[in-house]
Amino acid sequence: MNKQKRQEIFARLRDDNPNPKTELNYSNPFELLVAVTLSAQSTDVGVNKATDKLFPVANTPEAIVELGVDGLKSYIKTLGLYNAKAENVYKACQILVEKHNSEVPDTREALEALPGVGRKTANVVLNTAFRQPTMAVDTHIFRVSNRTKIAPGKNVLEVEKKLLKFVPKEFLLDAHHWLILLGRYICTARKPRCGACLIEDLCEFKDKTS
Ligand code: SF4
C-alpha cells in the first residue's frame, strides 16, 4: 500500500470519528490499567459491568490491596480467568503501592514489570492514559492491518512495528482506536461488511464482500 492511500484512509477514519475513545469505562490511569488487565479474553461490555461495581468501592491500589484477592474476585467472577486476574491485579497493586507511590508508571519497562501486564496492555495505557504514540495490536488490529495491507505482518509485533513506521505522524496517537473500531464493527472476522466500509475503495483485501 502506498503512502497516499494510508493518508486518505486515516483522514477518512478521523473525519468520521474525530475523538475516538476506548470502550472501557475509566476515569483515571489506574482504573484504565485495571480495566485493560481484566479485559483479556473478555468483552469490554463485560469488563464495564464488573468495574462499574468495583471502582466505586475500590479505585486505588491501596483500596484493592485492602479488598484482598477474595474480595476482588467477588466483583470480577463473571469474567473469564477471574482467579488469575484477581491474583495479578492484587499483586500489581502491591507493587504500585510499594515501588511507585501508588501511581501508574508511564514507562513500558515499569508497566511490563507488573503482573498481568504484557506489551499490549502497556501499549494501551501508554497511549490512552499518557498519550504516547504506541500501537496496542489486538486481534482486530492484526486482522484489519493485514486485510487492508496498511501494515501486513506475520505476528502482532511485526504489525505493531509496521504501523509505527507507516501510519502518518498526524494520526499516530489515535490510529489504534480507529483500527479497533473498524475491526470490531465493520471488518469483522468471519465476514467483513465491505459494502458498509468507509475505506472500501482504498482497502487492498482481495476477497471483499459485496
Ligand atoms: S473493505 Fe472490507 S476488508 Fe477492507 S477494511 Fe473494509 S470491511 Fe475490511
Side-chain angles (χ1 to χ4, degrees), residues 2 13 20 42 56 61 85 96 127 142 189:
N2 65 38
L13 294 173
S42 298
K85 287 176 181 174
L96 291 177
N127 177 272
F142 184 74

Side-chain angles (χ1 to χ4, degrees), residues 144 147-148 182 186-187 192-194 197 199-200 203 205 208:
V144 171
R147 279 182 178 163
T148 55
L182 185 63
I186 303 289
C187 193
R193 298 168 52 214
C194 301
C197 183
I199 60 163
E200 188 190 4
C203 169
F205 187 46
K208 285 181 202 159

Side-chain angles (χ1 to χ4, degrees), residues 17-181:
N17 183 5
N19 293 301
K21 303 242 177 331
T22 172
E23 293 184 325
L24 290 169
N25 295 339
Y26 73 98
S27 59
N28 58 46
F30 178 71
E31 289 187 359
L32 177 68
L33 174 65
V34 173
V36 180
T37 306
L38 295 178
S39 70
Q41 295 186 33
S42 298
T43 63
D44 288 358
V45 173
V47 172
N48 289 340
K49 274 189 189 157
T51 57
D52 283 352
K53 292 196 176 119
L54 171 66
F55 289 155
V57 176
N59 74 340
T60 62
E62 287 92 346
I64 287 192
V65 169
E66 179 84 11
L67 203 56
V69 176
D70 289 337
L72 185 52
K73 280 182 192 173
S74 68
Y75 287 95
I76 66 168
K77 64 187 174 205
T78 50
L79 303 176
L81 310 175
Y82 75 94
N83 282 312
K85 287 176 181 174
E87 296 278 352
N88 282 336
V89 170
Y90 177 79
K91 284 184 199 150
C93 287
Q94 283 183 313
I95 294 172
L96 291 177
V97 171
E98 287 162 15
K99 292 196 177 163
H100 298 286
N101 204 21
S102 297
E103 299 286 336
V104 176
D106 63 357
T107 66
R108 175 184 304 287
E109 192 187 15
L111 283 167
E112 288 187 12
L114 298 172
V117 178
R119 187 176 181 89
K120 184 168 68 95
T121 298
N123 279 336
V124 174
V125 173
L126 290 172
N127 177 272
T128 306
F130 298 115
R131 300 305 279 157
Q132 295 182 23
T134 60
M135 292 289 169
V137 179
D138 69 351
T139 180
H140 300 301
I141 297 188
F142 184 74
R143 183 175 65 253
V144 171
S145 299
N146 274 292
R147 279 182 178 163
T148 55
K149 305 280 189 290
I150 290 172
K154 291 185 199 68
N155 54 55
V156 291
L157 191 56
E158 200 179 326
V159 169
E160 179 186 322
K161 287 184 174 162
K162 282 198 183 172
L163 285 169
L164 287 170
K165 186 170 168 193
F166 292 135
V167 173
K169 276 206 171 50
E170 66 185 289
F171 304 113
L172 264 180
L173 273 178
D174 290 318
H176 96 269
H177 287 305
W178 288 315
L179 296 176
I180 284 177
L181 294 170

